[in-house]
Amino acid sequence: AQTVTQSQPEMSVQEAETVTLSCTYDTSESDYYLFWYKQPPSRQMILVIRQEAYKQQNATENRFSVNFQKAAKSFSLKISDSQLGDAAMYFCAYRSAIAGNMLTFGGGTRLMVKP
Amino acid sequence: EPEVTQTPSHQVTQMGQEVILRCVPISNHLYFYWYRQILGQKVEFLVSFYNNEISEKSEIFDDQFSVERPDGSNFTLKIRSTKLEDSAMYFCASSPGGLTEAFFGQGTRLTVV
């Protein structure tokens, strides 16, 4: 079974600065997808970014980018120019590309943004 | 922008009672999911549903749980006899395909007393 680990329960960043959230995962599969979801206080899970394991190029979405290290099974999220609205819980998630379509989530990192 | 809608936002029920949590997935999506998040814990997969049947379920999804798509728009999760440990936030999600990202609803907070 796959596992996803987020080793930072809480992180703090100054507004306009850059922060990196860590995620590692364990799998024996070679083909899979990785996601970062944001959960603001409203509780809705919002997709931030997605990475296909077969792609070497790191995904980017505006101020959000990932550092995907397949050999190390690491998938960190970098948030540039942090904004107050970025404050939320961030969840890393894994999904197999070959066996089922369920998401396996990490424990989450609470990001606080200081003005 | 289309979104997944869940009702109610908060449900309080007595232990042993049946509850039905409702979801309206995005209209052209084919895969539907339920996840739950016990307070302070990970989001956990419960069940996925495709082509009017369960395609996957976790060990959490025991005989007390059932899912149904009673019409062309709703997707429901029923808990037959609630227990205190069923208290959690329940998230519905849908996706257009099996390998595409899931879009989540805002969740239903279930409190069993």
Side-chain angles (χ1 to χ4, degrees):
Chain A
Q2 293 80 21
T3 58
V4 179
T5 303
Q6 294 178 248
S7 59
Q8 307 151 317
E10 279 191 4
M11 290 283 285
S12 179
V13 64
Q14 203 72 36
E15 195 176 6
E17 296 294 307
T18 295
V19 65
T20 298
L21 308 184
S22 301
C23 172
T24 57
Y25 57 94
D26 189 24
T27 184
S28 58
E29 298 174 339
S30 60
D31 201 8
Y32 48 87
Y33 301 88
L34 296 164
F35 306 87
W36 279 98
Y37 279 89
K38 172 184 177 181
Q39 187 183 42
S42 66
R43 305 296 293 181
Q44 186 163 9
M45 304 274 284
I46 302 165
L47 179 68
V48 174
I49 200 164
R50 155 195 171 125
Q51 175 82 41
E52 291 88 348
Y54 64 84
K55 289 187 177 178
Q56 292 190 337
Q57 188 172 7
N58 289 322
T60 62
E61 284 288 342
N62 302 313
R63 297 183 295 106
F64 298 87
S65 61
V66 298
N67 183 6
F68 173 49
Q69 302 287 330
K70 191 172 184 180
K73 296 179 183 173
S74 169
F75 182 61
S76 60
L77 175 69
K78 185 169 85 171
I79 306 173
S80 304
D81 185 25
S82 298
Q83 300 174 1
L84 294 178
D86 295 333
M89 283 290 288
Y90 286 82
F91 291 96
C92 179
Y94 171 103
R95 194 186 68 217
S96 170
I98 53 174
N101 47 24
M102 58 176 274
L103 289 166
T104 301
F105 285 87
T109 296
R110 181 173 301 283
L111 178 67
M112 294 173 285
V113 181
K114 298 177 182 175
Chain B
E1 187 174 328
E3 58 181 24
V4 177
T5 306
Q6 291 185 242
T7 54
S9 56
H10 190 192
Q11 172 113 29
V12 181
T13 188
Q14 289 205 321
M15 192 168 54
Q17 294 296 305
E18 174 183 287
V19 294
I20 297 176
L21 309 183
R22 302 181 192 280
C23 170
V24 179
I26 294 172
S27 64
N28 61 346
H29 286 190
L30 300 177
Y31 290 78
F32 314 112
Y33 314 88
W34 284 101
Y35 289 81
R36 80 171 184 190
Q37 184 182 28
I38 295 172
L39 187 63
Q41 298 188 21
K42 288 187 180 187
V43 177
E44 301 171 293
F45 169 76
L46 291 178
V47 65
S48 63
F49 192 85
Y50 169 71
N51 200 25
N52 283 320
E53 59 183 24
I54 290 173
S55 52
E56 254 187 300
K57 60 181 181 178
S58 71
E59 58 190 26
I60 302 168
F61 193 87
D62 61 22
D63 291 344
Q64 292 295 318
F65 292 90
S66 63
V67 289
E68 195 176 34
R69 188 155 161 82
D71 52 43
S73 59
N74 292 286
F75 179 52
T76 61
L77 174 69
K78 182 193 290 185
I79 309 175
R80 289 190 182 82
S81 178
T82 49
K83 304 187 280 280
L84 293 176
E85 54 265 36
D86 294 327
S87 295
M89 182 73 89
Y90 287 81
F91 291 102
C92 175
S94 69
S95 62
L99 297 181
T100 52
E101 53 263 37
F103 294 82
F104 283 78
Q106 78 278 22
T108 292
R109 180 174 297 285
L110 176 66
T111 303
V112 182
V113 297

